[in-house]
Amino acid sequence: MKWQKKESGNFEDRRGMSGGGKALIGGGLIGIVVLLLQMFGGETGQTIGNIIQQTQGTETQTEETQTRELSAEEIELGEFSKSCFVYNNETWAKIFQENNMDFEEPGMVIFDDGVNTACGSATSASGPFYCPGDKKIYMDLRFFEELKTRFGAEGGDFAIAYVIAHEMGHHLQTIMGTSGKVRQLQQSKSETEANKLSVCLELQADFYAGVWAHYNKNLLEEGDIEEALSAAHAVGDDAIQSKIQGQVTPDSFTHGTSEQRMYWFKKGYNSGDIKQGDTFSALLD
């Protein structure tokens, strides 16, 4: 991906610091696997809260202090993530203006090990997530190495760009009221039906990521879209369950199959039209 360094007052780099306040102990590959099955790329809140309840007794009080220096590679990766975040904000501010809507810029935090959010405390095991409580995207960039080595996603910077754009999609759903309506509907549904609604949310976020890529074709290099599709394939519910459990249980899907995730990303990328992202009508009718 072709990119230039950009600055944002809403971007925080907390890497190299110990997790401040109450940080959940745990993480690593096993924790990532468990949470991938539940929430990769998702909007969190209730999910993190449930995890906290399940892991009570493993909390520790820490002060947020500088513990190590970042490497040159880590610094470069942080700058890239910040620039992708800014490109997303610029793109969606333009799209919202074109559609007579008001855009509210989110925040973004990159961190190591543990982080406090308005949705609760989380570890790196959470994977990338968006917290509607403080309207911030949270990400431990080391996750992408796990995604490549364990789940077979292609490497490359555009896999990171895709995930940031996906999390931005959850922010769009929050400020447009989609997420709130879905959460209300889920309260009166069975677990299977509630899961289907979650899949619709996730696939719509993939669609929005594709729309963002459409508007930023000037930044793309050969192989970038393939990197995004590879990441989308790797985090499909069926791919993860097959890899980890050895079997697939569709009723438990919360994020969509690999094929669905790639389809909706490509639909957003090819159309560039936010009005074509009604995953709910397409999947529930």
Side-chain angles (χ1 to χ4, degrees):
M1 178 177 167
K2 294 175 286 188
W3 61 284
Q4 294 180 334
K5 184 176 178 180
K6 289 179 173 285
E7 297 297 329
S8 171
N10 289 330
F11 184 92
E12 301 174 58
D13 188 344
R14 301 184 193 172
R15 294 173 302 166
M17 298 180 180
S18 61
K22 288 185 176 179
L24 296 179
I25 300 301
L29 180 59
I30 293 177
I32 287 176
V33 168
V34 171
L35 288 175
L36 273 171
L37 292 171
Q38 298 182 60
M39 61 164 289
F40 169 78
E43 179 181 359
T44 189
Q46 181 178 355
T47 304
I48 290 290
N50 291 342
I51 294 165
I52 292 171
Q53 289 178 3
Q54 294 166 12
T55 55
Q56 281 182 348
T58 60
E59 296 180 347
T60 184
Q61 190 76 22
T62 62
E63 295 295 328
E64 187 169 78
T65 57
Q66 191 74 31
T67 58
R68 67 177 179 87
E69 294 292 328
L70 300 178
S71 68
E73 182 180 0
E74 286 176 313
I75 292 171
E76 180 80 359
L77 201 55
E79 292 295 344
F80 171 76
S81 301
K82 185 194 301 181
S83 295
C84 286
F85 174 66
V86 175
Y87 285 131
N88 269 273
N89 285 320
E90 292 173 346
T91 298
W92 287 109
K94 177 183 177 182
I95 294 174
F96 269 51
Q97 185 178 36
E98 291 172 349
N99 288 272
N100 298 314
M101 298 186 293
D102 294 324
F103 177 70
E104 177 185 352
E105 187 172 315
M108 182 170 174
V109 177
I110 55 176
F111 66 95
D112 288 340
D113 302 323
V115 67
N116 286 330
T117 81
C119 301
S121 299
T123 70
S124 300
S126 304
F129 64 91
Y130 171 79
C131 172
D134 53 24
K135 295 179 181 174
K136 290 182 180 180
I137 297 165
Y138 291 90
M139 191 175 296
D140 184 336
L141 297 176
R142 296 173 300 181
F143 167 83
F144 293 95
E145 188 61 30
E146 298 272 11
L147 192 63
K148 180 175 69 173
T149 58
R150 178 62 171 167
F151 295 96
E154 292 182 14
D157 55 13
F158 205 75
I160 298 175
Y162 152 69
V163 173
I164 293 174
H166 174 98
E167 300 305 337
M168 177 66 75
H170 287 304
H171 175 66
L172 303 178
Q173 291 168 333
T174 295
I175 62 178
M176 289 191 290
T178 308
S179 296
K181 292 177 182 177
V182 168
R183 299 309 178 207
Q184 284 185 329
L185 280 173
Q186 287 177 315
Q187 293 178 6
S188 60
K189 301 290 185 181
S190 67
E191 182 177 355
T192 298
E193 292 301 313
N195 286 344
K196 288 180 181 179
L197 288 168
S198 291
V199 168
C200 292
L201 273 180
E202 295 301 328
L203 296 179
Q204 188 178 67
D206 281 329
F207 171 83
Y208 288 145
V211 171
W212 172 79
H214 173 91
Y215 272 76
N216 289 274
K217 288 181 178 179
N218 61 307
L219 302 176
L220 302 183
E221 295 179 312
E222 184 177 354
D224 280 346
I225 294 301
E226 287 72 20
E227 289 175 10
L229 292 173
S230 176
H233 182 278
V235 294
D237 283 322
D238 54 341
I240 293 174
Q241 288 187 357
S242 179
K243 185 86 171 179
I244 303 306
Q245 302 174 174
Q247 61 182 0
V248 175
T249 52
D251 284 349
S252 68
F253 288 176
T254 57
H255 290 70
T257 66
S258 296
E259 181 180 357
Q260 288 174 320
R261 299 199 72 163
M262 291 189 293
Y263 171 83
W264 283 100
F265 175 85
K266 287 190 290 185
K267 184 171 184 177
Y269 177 70
N270 291 329
S271 71
D273 181 4
I274 61 171
K275 296 180 176 138
Q276 294 190 36
D278 184 2
T279 54
F280 299 90
S281 296
L283 297 173
L284 300 180
D285 286 350

